[in-house]
Amino acid sequence: DKHNNGHVTATQFRQCLTSLGLRASDAELDALLTCYSEPASKLFNYLAFLGDMKAAAAAAVAAAEGREAEACEAAAAAAAVQAPEGTPARRAESVEGGDEPMADLQKVMYKMKVKVKKERVRVMEFFRDYDKLRKGRIAKTSFRRALDLCKFNLCADELALLEQAFTSAVDPACVSYIELSDELESVFTIKHLDKAPYLTPAPFELVTEHCKELSPAKEEVIRRCVHRIAEKVRTRRMIILNTFEDFDRIHNGSISAPQFRSVLGHLELRVSEEEAQLLFEKFEVDVGGKLEVDYNTFCHLVDEYSLVPYKE
């Protein structure tokens, strides 16, 4: 733990157990990683793990000596000092509202990952400007300034949620930006991948949400239209997403209806006026009060249809 933040990777945890001669089955290791890994960063919280080990050891010694009351007190006392209050060791307990804040945290992380993926934002560089001694943690005010410079456009509640989720285990007044940076940059690769050559990183995929359900008659027209486009894409071996992205100057995953029609014409994917209007209606999305077409969802649907030849 070079940054002294109370966390290590899953691979490092396994290596530590092996070097100590503490054997465990794959099922047991997976259970430990599931129990003690942080939801956002996926790092193993060894402070909480050691605290539970200490509690179990103290209770076992007291129970072996016939001191039942003392065993209970030892277990409670050891569990109470697993980690300082407010640290990531007990994020799920410290965040108010049960499971809902964690769901909100996942939404915030997804929102940030999408921006990092699309605009190739190097968040680590913004944070390091405020960490002159390279401790891996910065003050909460500096943390907010760095995120503001990254232009994530987070509200006060989202910032507070991030601060609470990534509170430094060493100094609760600071935020461990290393964990956040590693989690955000996981959209490109996984840290220390060179030490796990057999690990295959799962690619980060955008969640397609802007696809409306229309009437059965309209859906049938759209289905035939998309199948016809997909058949041309398959036979001509086209990658249409790149052409749509050329028209998307701000990389937000959507373009205007005229631009969408222009791309289809440029790719020689002809559609009738009725089909074009239905495509706009199905894939429209509100971007700052302006209706645009979500081309990511459209391209994803075309790619799915192009895998299988269309039959009437």
Side-chain angles (χ1 to χ4, degrees), residues 249-269:
R249 298 297 177 86
I250 59 177
H251 305 290
N252 64 353
S254 62
I255 55 178
S256 65
Q259 288 176 324
F260 183 81
R261 191 72 181 270
S262 298
V263 174
L264 293 180
H266 177 74
L267 295 172
E268 298 182 359
L269 302 173

Side-chain angles (χ1 to χ4, degrees), residues 207-277:
V207 178
T208 55
E209 299 177 345
H210 309 298
C211 189
K212 298 180 180 179
E213 288 293 332
L214 305 181
S215 64
K218 292 181 178 179
E219 287 288 348
E220 179 61 22
V221 174
I222 292 175
R223 186 178 68 86
R224 291 174 178 270
C225 175
V226 175
H227 267 299
R228 190 176 68 250
I229 293 174
E231 185 65 18
K232 290 184 178 180
V233 169
R234 186 178 67 85
T235 55
R236 293 162 56 185
R237 299 181 181 276
M238 301 168 60
I239 301 177
I240 62 175
L241 179 62
N242 294 341
T243 307
F244 281 104
E245 289 178 339
D246 291 340
F247 283 78
D248 184 11
R249 298 297 177 86
I250 59 177
H251 305 290
N252 64 353
S254 62
I255 55 178
S256 65
Q259 288 176 324
F260 183 81
R261 191 72 181 270
S262 298
V263 174
L264 293 180
H266 177 74
L267 295 172
E268 298 182 359
L269 302 173
R270 308 299 179 186
V271 295
S272 66
E273 188 63 33
E274 179 191 6
E275 292 172 336
Q277 292 300 324

Side-chain angles (χ1 to χ4, degrees), residues 73-279:
E73 293 177 3
V81 295
Q82 288 176 4
E85 183 179 357
T87 63
R90 289 292 176 260
R91 282 178 190 155
E93 298 174 6
S94 61
V95 178
E96 297 179 357
D99 295 335
E100 198 152 325
M102 275 301 159
D104 292 338
L105 176 62
Q106 293 174 359
K107 292 179 181 178
V108 175
M109 292 300 299
Y110 174 78
K111 172 183 175 181
M112 297 172 71
K113 285 182 178 181
V114 169
K115 183 175 179 65
V116 169
K117 176 76 172 181
K118 289 183 176 180
E119 302 183 15
R120 300 296 191 267
V121 181
R122 297 281 297 176
V123 292
M124 181 71 76
E125 297 177 2
F126 291 91
F127 288 127
R128 279 180 175 169
D129 290 340
Y130 295 95
D131 184 17
K132 302 299 182 183
L133 300 179
R134 298 295 186 264
K135 293 183 178 180
R137 59 183 185 274
I138 55 178
K140 294 182 179 180
T141 53
S142 300
F143 178 74
R144 295 194 174 210
R145 290 194 192 103
L147 290 178
D148 186 57
L149 290 174
C150 293
K151 298 181 180 180
F152 283 119
N153 299 324
L154 301 175
C155 65
D157 291 340
E158 291 172 332
L159 290 169
L161 196 62
L162 288 173
E163 291 171 356
Q164 199 169 7
F166 293 96
T167 301
S168 172
V170 178
D171 184 359
C174 296
V175 180
S176 176
Y177 70 85
I178 295 288
E179 293 182 50
L180 177 61
S181 299
D182 290 346
E183 178 65 20
L184 292 177
E185 293 182 3
S186 66
V187 299
F188 303 116
T189 186
I190 299 177
K191 197 173 182 180
H192 305 302
L193 189 60
D194 56 323
K195 299 178 181 178
Y198 296 105
L199 179 64
T200 303
F204 176 74
E205 297 182 354
L206 297 177
V207 178
T208 55
E209 299 177 345
H210 309 298
C211 189
K212 298 180 180 179
E213 288 293 332
L214 305 181
S215 64
K218 292 181 178 179
E219 287 288 348
E220 179 61 22
V221 174
I222 292 175
R223 186 178 68 86
R224 291 174 178 270
C225 175
V226 175
H227 267 299
R228 190 176 68 250
I229 293 174
E231 185 65 18
K232 290 184 178 180
V233 169
R234 186 178 67 85
T235 55
R236 293 162 56 185
R237 299 181 181 276
M238 301 168 60
I239 301 177
I240 62 175
L241 179 62
N242 294 341
T243 307
F244 281 104
E245 289 178 339
D246 291 340
F247 283 78
D248 184 11
R249 298 297 177 86
I250 59 177
H251 305 290
N252 64 353
S254 62
I255 55 178
S256 65
Q259 288 176 324
F260 183 81
R261 191 72 181 270
S262 298
V263 174
L264 293 180
H266 177 74
L267 295 172
E268 298 182 359
L269 302 173
R270 308 299 179 186
V271 295
S272 66
E273 188 63 33
E274 179 191 6
E275 292 172 336
Q277 292 300 324
L278 290 178
L279 289 174

Side-chain angles (χ1 to χ4, degrees), residues 52-68 70-76 78:
D52 288 345
M53 290 283 290
K54 183 178 179 180
V61 170
E65 297 177 357
R67 295 174 284 125
E68 296 181 0
E70 193 171 328
C72 295
E73 293 177 3

